[in-house]
Each structure stands twice: as C-alpha cells, then as structure tokens.
Amino acid sequence: MDALAGLLDGPRARGAFLLRMVMEPPWSVRIEDHAPLCLMCVTEGEAWIVPESGAPVLLRPGDMAVARGPDPYTVADAADRAPQARIGPGGTCHTLQGEPLAESMHLGVRTWGNAADGSTTMLIGTYQMQGEVSARLLDALPPLLWLPADAWSCPVSSVLADEIGRDEPGQSVVLDRVLDLLLIGVLRAWFSRPDAAAPSWYRAMGDPVVGRALRLLQDDPAHPWSVASLAAKCGVSRAGLARRFNDLVGEPPMTYLTGWRLTLAADLLRETDATVAAIARQVGYSGSFALSAAFKRVRGISPQQHRRGAVMPGRWQADRGRGRQP
C-alpha cells in the first residue's frame, strides 16, 4: 500500500450531512457543530471562510475548502461580516439572539438559505462522526485547506451538484459515496502540490529504508514487531534503523507502531460491533487488557468510553419536518 492510499483509506461517510446553501448579501453564518471534517465548494458567487485562527480564504466558483473540526469557523459574504446565525450541535440553527431559523430558511430538499434566487450558492458536505474519517488523516490536515479551481479537476463535484437535490430511495447512500470520492479527489490534489505540508511519516515514505519499515508496520500491525526484526526486514542494523526512523518520522519505530495500532483500534471500535478482545488481536495486542491499558495510557480513556463517545454532532436542518435524513 502506498502512503497516499493508506492515508485515504479511511473516509467512510455514513448518513453524512449534505446541503446546498443559497444566500444573498449581507449574510454570515457561524459554524460551531464540532464536526470532524466539512467540504465546501462554491458554484456561484463568492464566499469567505474565516477560521478561528489564520487568514480568511475567499472562495470563487470551482474553489474547494476543507475545514477540520472541531474548531469553529465563519462562512460569510465578507471577511469582516459579523455572524448573523449560528449552527450548533444537535441540529440547532438560530440567530445570535436564539431565534430558530430552521423552518424560515428551508428552501427545499437539502437546500437552505436566505433567498431562493441568492447570488451565492455553495455545496456543503459534512462528516458528522469521528470514526468516519481516521484520526491519522485528520492529523495530516491543516485547520483549513483551500484549493483554487485551477489547481484541481474532479468530475465528482458536478455529480454532487446534480445529486444533492434529489429525493429518491437510497439517496443518502449515493450521497455518502459521492462525498467520499470528492474528499479523496480533493486530498489527492492537495498532497500532490510541490509545497504540500505533508506529515513527516508521509514524507518519510520516499526513503528506501524508512519507507519500507513504515509499509511493513502499516500493512501488518498485528505482527510481533521489534526494532531488530524490522531492521532485519529492511536490511540495515538495529541502531541504523532506529536513528534514521527517528530523524525522518520524528519518533521511534515502536512508538509509531503503538500509535498506528491504537488508531486502527479506535476506528474499529466505532465502525464495528467486534469485542474489544477481538479488536485487540486484530491490531497486535494479546487481549482486551493489553489494549485497554495502552489505549488509556495514550488516549486518556478506555476503549469502551471511546466507543460510547461516538455520537452524531448537529446538522443544519434543511429537511426538518420532512421525516427524511438530509
């Protein structure tokens, strides 16, 4: 498995929130839904994305932005526009004074905004649960990723524009898969840039020794690896591998392996009904006690607490009252 394929193997939208937002200036919406990842694409007009920290980004038609949660951000017609509405956890949509907006701004199937013929239209796709996007992928992304229209080309965006307003059986599943493909297309374009700020382990994949070691650990995390056995597979000395790995990746091989095993375990806890013991064996631990001890030491909570914490953050209730998932 190559580095990019391993990184992009995680997106698995399940009942993702997708929306067409139509707005006429002046407008400004504060997003505080704590979702792990949100894709935003302008199809008409312009929109500013203002992160909690960092420079605002202007989106024009065809531009794509990816906001990494849970930090809040603002979407507006002007970078200095004060928020007029707030999107919060639990599907709440209110003015800053607390007045509900879900019904008054409903414009149709998965369509929301302040004017049906507004000059700005955006497509928004939100992954709502942490387990839908691996922690490893989230850690590799900046708080706000931006791709101008001339820096990437992906036909999936036009498919999403066509599908987002449909109200047909199985439509939520179709939209989930389209969102996954769109995210993969965006990230593939972003990581291919010469100035891409890829994580150290990703860059280290190009090293003939460390890259092989990383692939061995990623492809077979359940193997009882040691630095010595890993070095033997890579054809170098134990000390040589440890030094080179630490220099390029920023941590020792076994520390990296522990993090990788726990990342896999965290996703399996939320994506499957497998027991903790079964997951432990799958990722390289002798049993549930060993996994629980490592999980609590590194992540501060038990595997059971992590599994129970897989709650669905709020959604913008464009389809409220229709008895359907957006």
Side-chain angles (χ1 to χ4, degrees), residues 163-214:
E163 293 287 343
I164 202 167
R166 294 181 185 271
D167 189 16
E168 299 179 3
Q171 192 65 17
S172 63
V173 177
V174 173
L175 291 172
D176 283 349
R177 299 291 75 79
V178 172
L179 181 60
D180 286 342
L181 290 173
L182 181 60
L183 176 61
I184 290 170
V186 169
L187 296 181
R188 186 166 60 179
W190 188 75
F191 274 107
S192 68
R193 298 174 307 121
D195 59 339
S200 56
W201 63 262
Y202 182 92
R203 297 191 301 270
M205 280 289 191
D207 183 84
V209 174
V210 177
R212 175 165 172 73
L214 284 168

Side-chain angles (χ1 to χ4, degrees), residues 94-109:
H94 294 86
T95 66
L96 299 188
Q97 292 72 39
E99 300 167 347
L101 291 172
E103 294 292 348
S104 62
M105 298 186 74
H106 174 72
L107 299 177
V109 178

Side-chain angles (χ1 to χ4, degrees), residues 28-275:
S28 179
V29 181
R30 177 75 167 171
I31 313 301
E32 299 178 353
D33 62 0
H34 306 300
L37 206 65
C38 180
L39 284 74
M40 294 166 279
C41 180
V42 169
T43 58
E44 294 181 45
E46 296 180 346
W48 284 90
I49 311 296
V50 184
E52 187 74 353
S53 60
V57 170
L58 176 62
L59 298 185
R60 296 186 172 92
D63 293 356
M64 176 68 70
V66 179
R68 189 196 69 200
D71 291 343
Y73 54 94
T74 299
V75 185
D77 70 300
D80 58 353
R81 181 81 64 198
Q84 302 160 341
R86 174 183 175 272
I87 306 300
T92 60
C93 175
H94 294 86
T95 66
L96 299 188
Q97 292 72 39
E99 300 167 347
L101 291 172
E103 294 292 348
S104 62
M105 298 186 74
H106 174 72
L107 299 177
V109 178
R110 301 184 190 88
T111 304
W112 185 91
N114 65 2
D117 57 352
S119 58
T120 296
T121 301
M122 296 181 68
L123 303 179
I124 299 170
T126 303
Y127 289 83
Q128 301 185 93
M129 295 187 294
Q130 291 289 346
E132 294 177 318
V133 185
S134 71
R136 187 161 157 265
L137 173 55
L138 293 174
D139 289 344
L141 302 179
L144 181 63
L145 178 161
W146 168 65
L147 278 178
D150 59 2
W152 76 299
S153 176
C154 181
V156 178
S157 56
S158 60
V159 175
L160 179 61
D162 291 339
E163 293 287 343
I164 202 167
R166 294 181 185 271
D167 189 16
E168 299 179 3
Q171 192 65 17
S172 63
V173 177
V174 173
L175 291 172
D176 283 349
R177 299 291 75 79
V178 172
L179 181 60
D180 286 342
L181 290 173
L182 181 60
L183 176 61
I184 290 170
V186 169
L187 296 181
R188 186 166 60 179
W190 188 75
F191 274 107
S192 68
R193 298 174 307 121
D195 59 339
S200 56
W201 63 262
Y202 182 92
R203 297 191 301 270
M205 280 289 191
D207 183 84
V209 174
V210 177
R212 175 165 172 73
L214 284 168
R215 282 187 287 274
L216 287 167
L217 296 178
Q218 291 178 7
D219 291 348
D220 192 6
H223 184 81
W225 292 109
S226 66
V227 177
S229 65
L230 194 60
K233 287 282 189 179
C234 296
V236 296
S237 70
R238 181 183 183 279
L241 174 64
R243 182 174 57 253
R244 193 163 177 170
F245 196 103
N246 194 69
D247 288 346
L248 293 179
V249 180
E251 59 185 355
M254 295 301 101
T255 302
Y256 176 87
L257 176 59
T258 295
W260 176 231
R261 284 171 168 170
L262 295 181
T263 294
L264 293 174
D267 288 347
L268 288 169
L269 284 164
R270 288 184 168 173
E271 293 172 1
T272 73
D273 294 326
T275 64

